[in-house]
Amino acid sequence: MYKHEKPYYTLDTYLKETYGEKIYKISLDPGFTCPNRDGTLSRRGCIFCSEGGSGDFSSTTIEEGIRKVSDKFTGQHYIAYFQAYTNTYGPVSKLKELYQAALDHPLIIGISIATRPDCLGIEVLQLLEALKVQYPTKFIWIELGLQTIHEQTAIYIRRGYTLACFEEAVKNLHRIQIPIIVHIILGLPGETKTDYLKTMHYLNQLPLQGLKLHLLHIIKNTDLAEDYLATPFSMYSLEDYSLLIIELLEHVRRDMVIHRITGDGPKDLLIAPLWSSNKKKVLNHIHKEMKEKQFFQGKQLS
Ligand code: SF4
Protein backbone atom coordinates (compact mmCIF):
# COMPACT_ATOMS: atom_id res chain seq x y z
CA MET A 1 0.00 0.00 0.00
CA TYR A 2 1.11 3.62 -0.49
CA LYS A 3 1.88 6.14 2.17
CA HIS A 4 -1.48 7.86 1.46
CA GLU A 5 -3.32 4.59 2.10
CA LYS A 6 -5.64 5.06 -0.87
CA PRO A 7 -6.42 1.87 -2.79
CA TYR A 8 -5.27 3.49 -5.99
CA TYR A 9 -2.99 6.37 -6.83
CA THR A 10 -5.36 9.13 -7.88
CA LEU A 11 -4.28 12.37 -9.50
CA ASP A 12 -5.75 14.23 -6.55
CA THR A 13 -3.53 12.25 -4.18
CA TYR A 14 -0.47 12.79 -6.35
CA LEU A 15 -1.06 16.55 -6.46
CA LYS A 16 -1.69 16.83 -2.72
CA GLU A 17 1.45 14.80 -2.00
CA THR A 18 3.52 16.90 -4.38
CA TYR A 19 2.10 20.40 -3.78
CA GLY A 20 0.49 20.02 -0.36
CA GLU A 21 -2.89 21.25 -1.56
CA LYS A 22 -5.80 20.42 -3.80
CA ILE A 23 -5.23 21.54 -7.37
CA TYR A 24 -7.90 21.91 -10.03
CA LYS A 25 -7.50 21.28 -13.75
CA ILE A 26 -8.94 23.89 -16.06
CA SER A 27 -9.96 22.57 -19.48
CA LEU A 28 -9.03 24.89 -22.33
CA ASP A 29 -9.83 25.11 -26.01
CA PRO A 30 -7.21 27.42 -27.53
CA GLY A 31 -8.67 27.01 -31.01
CA PHE A 32 -6.61 24.31 -32.68
CA THR A 33 -7.87 21.75 -35.12
CA CYS A 34 -6.61 18.20 -35.71
CA PRO A 35 -4.94 16.50 -38.69
CA ASN A 36 -7.63 13.86 -38.43
CA ARG A 37 -10.27 16.52 -39.07
CA ASP A 38 -8.75 19.21 -41.26
CA GLY A 39 -8.18 16.91 -44.22
CA THR A 40 -4.48 16.20 -43.64
CA LEU A 41 -5.29 12.63 -42.61
CA SER A 42 -9.05 12.67 -42.76
CA ARG A 43 -12.04 15.00 -42.55
CA ARG A 44 -14.16 12.72 -40.41
CA GLY A 45 -12.01 12.48 -37.28
CA CYS A 46 -11.92 9.60 -34.85
CA ILE A 47 -15.22 7.77 -34.93
CA PHE A 48 -16.19 8.80 -31.37
CA CYS A 49 -14.93 12.39 -31.46
CA SER A 50 -17.54 15.06 -30.70
CA GLU A 51 -17.88 18.30 -32.63
CA GLY A 52 -15.98 20.00 -29.80
CA GLY A 53 -12.90 17.84 -30.49
CA SER A 54 -13.41 15.86 -27.26
CA GLY A 55 -13.16 19.05 -25.23
CA ASP A 56 -16.81 19.94 -24.79
CA PHE A 57 -16.46 21.57 -21.36
CA SER A 58 -13.46 23.68 -22.30
CA SER A 59 -12.99 27.41 -21.81
CA THR A 60 -11.17 29.70 -24.21
CA THR A 61 -9.15 31.53 -21.54
CA ILE A 62 -7.61 30.68 -18.18
CA GLU A 63 -9.64 33.42 -16.46
CA GLU A 64 -12.88 32.01 -17.83
CA GLY A 65 -11.82 28.50 -16.75
CA ILE A 66 -11.08 29.72 -13.21
CA ARG A 67 -14.44 31.52 -13.05
CA LYS A 68 -16.25 28.35 -14.14
CA VAL A 69 -14.84 26.24 -11.32
CA SER A 70 -14.74 28.90 -8.62
CA ASP A 71 -18.10 27.87 -7.10
CA LYS A 72 -16.91 24.31 -6.39
CA PHE A 73 -13.21 24.87 -5.87
CA THR A 74 -11.68 27.04 -3.21
CA GLY A 75 -8.02 26.15 -3.78
CA GLN A 76 -5.25 28.46 -4.84
CA HIS A 77 -3.65 26.85 -7.86
CA TYR A 78 -4.60 25.29 -11.17
CA ILE A 79 -3.30 23.20 -14.04
CA ALA A 80 -3.96 24.62 -17.51
CA TYR A 81 -5.18 21.65 -19.52
CA PHE A 82 -5.12 22.22 -23.27
CA GLN A 83 -7.77 19.67 -24.02
CA ALA A 84 -9.79 20.23 -27.18
CA TYR A 85 -8.51 18.87 -30.50
CA THR A 86 -4.70 18.55 -30.99
CA ASN A 87 -2.79 21.08 -28.95
CA THR A 88 0.64 20.75 -30.55
CA TYR A 89 -0.78 21.07 -34.07
CA GLY A 90 0.12 24.57 -35.18
CA PRO A 91 3.04 26.91 -35.82
CA VAL A 92 5.70 26.54 -33.11
CA SER A 93 5.65 30.33 -32.56
CA LYS A 94 1.93 30.12 -31.70
CA LEU A 95 2.49 27.11 -29.41
CA LYS A 96 5.28 28.93 -27.64
CA GLU A 97 3.18 32.02 -27.03
CA LEU A 98 0.27 29.95 -25.77
CA TYR A 99 2.25 27.73 -23.41
CA GLN A 100 4.31 30.65 -22.10
CA ALA A 101 1.20 32.69 -21.36
CA ALA A 102 -0.14 29.82 -19.25
CA LEU A 103 3.18 29.14 -17.52
CA ASP A 104 3.59 32.85 -16.73
CA HIS A 105 0.19 32.92 -14.98
CA PRO A 106 0.76 33.15 -11.20
CA LEU A 107 -2.06 30.70 -10.37
CA ILE A 108 -0.96 28.03 -12.86
CA ILE A 109 1.45 25.42 -11.48
CA GLY A 110 1.86 23.55 -14.74
CA ILE A 111 0.35 22.75 -18.10
CA SER A 112 -0.99 19.54 -19.53
CA ILE A 113 -1.14 19.29 -23.31
CA ALA A 114 -3.44 16.81 -25.03
CA THR A 115 -2.17 15.78 -28.43
CA ARG A 116 -1.46 13.01 -30.91
CA PRO A 117 1.89 11.18 -31.15
CA ASP A 118 2.15 12.09 -34.84
CA CYS A 119 2.09 15.81 -33.89
CA LEU A 120 5.25 15.77 -31.80
CA GLY A 121 7.93 16.60 -34.33
CA ILE A 122 11.44 17.75 -33.54
CA GLU A 123 10.53 21.46 -33.32
CA VAL A 124 7.76 20.79 -30.82
CA LEU A 125 10.07 18.61 -28.74
CA GLN A 126 12.73 21.33 -28.78
CA LEU A 127 10.16 23.87 -27.63
CA LEU A 128 9.04 21.64 -24.74
CA GLU A 129 12.64 21.06 -23.73
CA ALA A 130 13.40 24.80 -23.78
CA LEU A 131 10.27 25.60 -21.72
CA LYS A 132 11.29 23.06 -19.11
CA VAL A 133 14.54 24.99 -18.66
CA GLN A 134 12.79 28.35 -18.72
CA TYR A 135 10.17 27.34 -16.09
CA PRO A 136 12.02 25.05 -13.65
CA THR A 137 9.38 25.41 -10.93
CA LYS A 138 6.45 24.49 -13.18
CA PHE A 139 5.66 21.30 -15.05
CA ILE A 140 4.73 20.34 -18.59
CA TRP A 141 2.82 17.12 -19.19
CA ILE A 142 1.80 15.53 -22.46
CA GLU A 143 -1.43 13.53 -22.75
CA LEU A 144 -1.64 11.04 -25.61
CA GLY A 145 -4.99 9.68 -26.78
CA LEU A 146 -3.87 6.16 -27.59
CA GLN A 147 -7.35 4.66 -26.90
CA THR A 148 -6.29 1.12 -27.83
CA ILE A 149 -3.15 -0.90 -28.55
CA HIS A 150 -5.05 -3.23 -30.86
CA GLU A 151 -4.53 -2.41 -34.52
CA GLN A 152 -7.92 -3.67 -35.69
CA THR A 153 -9.73 -1.41 -33.24
CA ALA A 154 -7.44 1.50 -34.15
CA ILE A 155 -8.51 1.09 -37.77
CA TYR A 156 -12.19 0.93 -36.82
CA ILE A 157 -11.99 4.10 -34.74
CA ARG A 158 -9.92 5.82 -37.50
CA ARG A 159 -7.21 6.87 -35.08
CA GLY A 160 -4.85 7.51 -37.99
CA TYR A 161 -1.48 6.51 -36.53
CA THR A 162 0.26 3.26 -35.69
CA LEU A 163 1.40 1.84 -32.39
CA ALA A 164 4.99 2.26 -33.64
CA CYS A 165 4.33 6.01 -33.98
CA PHE A 166 3.05 6.11 -30.38
CA GLU A 167 6.14 4.25 -29.17
CA GLU A 168 8.43 6.69 -30.96
CA ALA A 169 6.66 9.65 -29.30
CA VAL A 170 6.94 8.03 -25.86
CA LYS A 171 10.65 7.42 -26.43
CA ASN A 172 11.23 11.04 -27.52
CA LEU A 173 9.24 12.54 -24.64
CA HIS A 174 10.94 10.30 -22.13
CA ARG A 175 14.34 11.37 -23.47
CA ILE A 176 13.55 15.02 -22.67
CA GLN A 177 11.88 14.01 -19.38
CA ILE A 178 8.37 15.14 -20.15
CA PRO A 179 5.85 13.15 -18.08
CA ILE A 180 3.40 11.26 -20.26
CA ILE A 181 -0.23 10.41 -19.56
CA VAL A 182 -1.99 7.90 -21.80
CA HIS A 183 -5.73 7.76 -22.48
CA ILE A 184 -7.42 4.41 -23.05
CA ILE A 185 -11.09 3.88 -23.94
CA LEU A 186 -12.92 0.93 -22.39
CA GLY A 187 -15.94 -0.47 -24.21
CA LEU A 188 -14.85 -0.07 -27.82
CA PRO A 189 -16.73 -2.53 -30.04
CA GLY A 190 -14.93 -5.85 -30.40
CA GLU A 191 -12.59 -5.39 -27.41
CA THR A 192 -12.81 -7.73 -24.45
CA LYS A 193 -11.39 -7.88 -20.94
CA THR A 194 -8.51 -9.96 -22.28
CA ASP A 195 -7.67 -7.17 -24.73
CA TYR A 196 -7.71 -4.56 -21.94
CA LEU A 197 -5.50 -6.70 -19.75
CA LYS A 198 -3.01 -6.93 -22.61
CA THR A 199 -3.19 -3.14 -22.86
CA MET A 200 -2.44 -2.72 -19.14
CA HIS A 201 0.55 -5.07 -19.33
CA TYR A 202 1.83 -3.23 -22.39
CA LEU A 203 1.51 0.18 -20.68
CA ASN A 204 3.23 -1.10 -17.53
CA GLN A 205 6.40 -1.57 -19.60
CA LEU A 206 6.51 2.07 -20.71
CA PRO A 207 7.88 5.10 -18.84
CA LEU A 208 4.47 6.66 -18.22
CA GLN A 209 3.51 8.98 -15.40
CA GLY A 210 -0.19 8.38 -15.64
CA LEU A 211 -3.18 6.65 -17.09
CA LYS A 212 -6.66 7.91 -17.94
CA LEU A 213 -9.33 5.25 -18.34
CA HIS A 214 -12.41 6.47 -20.19
CA LEU A 215 -15.67 4.63 -20.55
CA LEU A 216 -16.80 4.73 -24.18
CA HIS A 217 -19.52 7.32 -24.68
CA ILE A 218 -21.82 7.39 -27.64
CA ILE A 219 -22.16 11.08 -28.43
CA LYS A 220 -24.75 12.59 -30.79
CA ASN A 221 -23.59 13.62 -34.26
CA THR A 222 -20.64 11.23 -34.35
CA ASP A 223 -20.08 8.36 -36.78
CA LEU A 224 -19.99 6.02 -33.81
CA ALA A 225 -23.53 7.13 -32.90
CA GLU A 226 -24.64 6.32 -36.44
CA ASP A 227 -23.11 2.83 -36.17
CA TYR A 228 -24.65 2.32 -32.75
CA LEU A 229 -28.13 3.46 -33.74
CA ALA A 230 -28.03 1.31 -36.89
CA THR A 231 -26.71 -1.79 -35.10
CA PRO A 232 -26.63 -1.35 -31.32
CA PHE A 233 -23.69 -3.13 -29.75
CA SER A 234 -23.59 -4.12 -26.10
CA MET A 235 -22.29 -1.59 -23.61
CA TYR A 236 -21.16 -1.97 -20.03
CA SER A 237 -23.61 -1.72 -17.17
CA LEU A 238 -22.41 0.22 -14.14
CA GLU A 239 -21.90 -3.06 -12.25
CA ASP A 240 -19.85 -4.69 -15.02
CA TYR A 241 -17.83 -1.55 -15.61
CA SER A 242 -16.93 -1.34 -11.91
CA LEU A 243 -15.73 -4.94 -11.92
CA LEU A 244 -13.71 -4.29 -15.07
CA ILE A 245 -12.01 -1.20 -13.60
CA ILE A 246 -11.11 -3.10 -10.45
CA GLU A 247 -9.64 -6.02 -12.35
CA LEU A 248 -7.66 -3.78 -14.70
CA LEU A 249 -6.23 -1.58 -11.95
CA GLU A 250 -5.11 -4.68 -10.12
CA HIS A 251 -2.80 -5.17 -13.10
CA VAL A 252 -1.49 -1.60 -13.24
CA ARG A 253 1.90 -0.62 -11.80
CA ARG A 254 1.53 0.99 -8.38
CA ASP A 255 3.49 4.11 -9.26
CA MET A 256 1.23 4.93 -12.21
CA VAL A 257 -0.96 7.91 -11.38
CA ILE A 258 -4.58 7.20 -12.24
CA HIS A 259 -5.95 10.43 -13.64
CA ARG A 260 -9.41 9.12 -14.36
CA ILE A 261 -11.45 5.91 -14.14
CA THR A 262 -14.51 7.04 -16.01
CA GLY A 263 -15.64 9.92 -18.17
CA ASP A 264 -18.45 12.43 -18.08
CA GLY A 265 -19.56 13.38 -21.56
CA PRO A 266 -21.91 16.33 -22.13
CA LYS A 267 -25.34 15.23 -20.85
CA ASP A 268 -27.27 16.86 -23.69
CA LEU A 269 -25.19 14.99 -26.28
CA LEU A 270 -24.91 11.62 -24.55
CA ILE A 271 -26.80 8.74 -26.19
CA ALA A 272 -25.36 5.87 -24.15
CA PRO A 273 -24.63 4.63 -21.56
CA LEU A 274 -26.93 7.04 -19.72
CA TRP A 275 -25.90 5.81 -16.26
CA SER A 276 -22.46 7.34 -16.86
CA SER A 277 -23.78 10.90 -16.70
CA ASN A 278 -23.95 10.75 -12.89
CA LYS A 279 -20.21 10.79 -12.25
CA LYS A 280 -20.53 11.00 -8.48
CA LYS A 281 -22.78 7.95 -8.36
CA VAL A 282 -20.44 6.02 -10.66
CA LEU A 283 -17.38 6.80 -8.55
CA ASN A 284 -19.23 5.97 -5.32
CA HIS A 285 -20.27 2.63 -6.74
CA ILE A 286 -16.75 1.76 -7.92
CA HIS A 287 -15.19 2.84 -4.61
CA LYS A 288 -17.70 0.77 -2.63
CA GLU A 289 -16.89 -2.29 -4.74
CA MET A 290 -13.19 -1.65 -4.26
CA LYS A 291 -13.61 -1.63 -0.52
CA GLU A 292 -15.66 -4.81 -0.48
CA LYS A 293 -13.11 -6.61 -2.62
CA GLN A 294 -10.12 -5.31 -0.61
CA PHE A 295 -8.79 -4.02 -3.88
CA PHE A 296 -5.55 -2.19 -4.36
CA GLN A 297 -3.73 -1.05 -7.49
CA GLY A 298 -1.18 -3.56 -8.70
CA LYS A 299 -2.57 -6.32 -6.45
CA GLN A 300 -2.07 -8.96 -9.16
CA LEU A 301 1.49 -7.84 -9.91
CA SER A 302 3.00 -8.60 -6.53
S1 SF4 B 1 -7.29 12.92 -32.54
FE1 SF4 B 1 -8.58 13.83 -30.94
S2 SF4 B 1 -9.39 15.73 -31.81
FE2 SF4 B 1 -8.54 14.53 -33.50
S3 SF4 B 1 -10.32 13.45 -34.32
FE3 SF4 B 1 -9.32 12.08 -32.85
S4 SF4 B 1 -10.34 12.45 -30.85
FE4 SF4 B 1 -10.88 14.15 -32.26
Side-chain angles (χ1 to χ4, degrees), residues 33-37 44-50 52-55 83-86 115-116 118 145 147 157-159 161:
T33 177
C34 168
N36 215 8
R37 280 184 169 267
R44 292 162 67 203
C46 298
I47 195 166
F48 53 80
C49 183
S50 67
S54 298
Q83 181 182 23
Y85 300 96
T86 300
T115 189
R116 299 167 53 90
D118 54 357
Q147 325 305 3
I157 65 173
R158 301 195 305 253
R159 192 181 61 191
Y161 64 81

Side-chain angles (χ1 to χ4, degrees), residues 50 55-58 72 217-221 262-282:
S50 67
D56 300 278
F57 300 120
S58 304
K72 53 182 173 180
H217 284 134
I218 313 277
I219 301 288
K220 279 181 195 162
N221 306 322
T262 180
D264 50 349
K267 285 194 178 79
D268 52 334
L269 296 179
L270 183 66
I271 295 176
L274 292 175
W275 57 261
S276 69
S277 63
N278 190 338
K279 190 176 164 193
K280 200 167 173 199
K281 186 175 160 203
V282 174

